[in-house]
Amino acid sequence: YIHVDMDMFFAAVEVLIDPSIKDAPFAVGGMSMISTANYVARKYGVRSAMPGFIGKHLCLHPAPGSTLPAAELRFVGHGFDKYTMVSRQCKELFKAFDPHIQAAGIDEAYLDITDYMVQHTLTA
């Protein structure tokens, strides 16, 4: 079995739509709550389920001794229709490895790749 957990899924979809944001710290959500943050923002300590105002502070005031420059945390609003569409596309790709995938959320799935590995003469 394989457990697929697509890290920073919402943020990754936003980068697909607007590649210009990939190198800047950004979070999906707002000042009250962050759903996810890209890897650039995570370097500053920004995390999922963190209030956005704390994430903004972390980016504007990097930890003492950090080599990170002060930066403005950008917020991107939720686009659940987009996330659902990309999630369906990913799950269709997973079906090439396991036609009976078990979805565990918009960004997670379990795949039994035993048959795929046998058919393709692969070993673990």
Side-chain angles (χ1 to χ4, degrees):
Y1 277 92
I2 294 177
H3 173 230
V4 177
D5 185 348
M6 296 179 275
D7 193 32
M8 70 161 221
F9 179 71
F10 295 168
V13 172
E14 294 298 338
V15 169
L16 282 173
I17 294 163
D18 181 4
S20 72
I21 64 175
K22 79 178 179 79
D23 294 324
F26 78 89
V28 177
M31 289 295 279
S32 62
M33 191 58 58
I34 291 171
S35 294
T36 193
N38 70 343
Y39 293 130
V40 178
R42 290 179 186 192
K43 289 179 184 178
Y44 289 87
V46 179
R47 299 284 180 260
S48 300
M50 172 183 280
F53 68 90
I54 293 174
K56 279 188 96 56
H57 178 81
L58 290 171
C59 288
L60 286 172
H61 307 282
S66 170
T67 59
L68 294 170
E72 184 72 32
L73 179 65
R74 178 175 173 181
F75 291 108
V76 178
H78 288 100
F80 288 108
D81 291 342
K82 298 178 282 189
Y83 308 149
T84 300
M85 179 188 71
V86 174
S87 176
R88 286 184 184 139
Q89 292 171 342
C90 291
K91 288 171 184 164
E92 282 301 312
L93 290 172
F94 298 159
K95 287 181 181 179
F97 301 94
D98 177 7
H100 308 290
I101 69 165
Q102 297 175 357
I106 196 165
D107 66 343
E108 291 185 66
Y110 293 92
L111 291 75
D112 179 352
I113 62 167
T114 306
D115 291 341
Y116 180 88
M117 292 184 70
V118 169
Q119 291 169 0
H120 294 85
T121 320
L122 300 171
T123 59

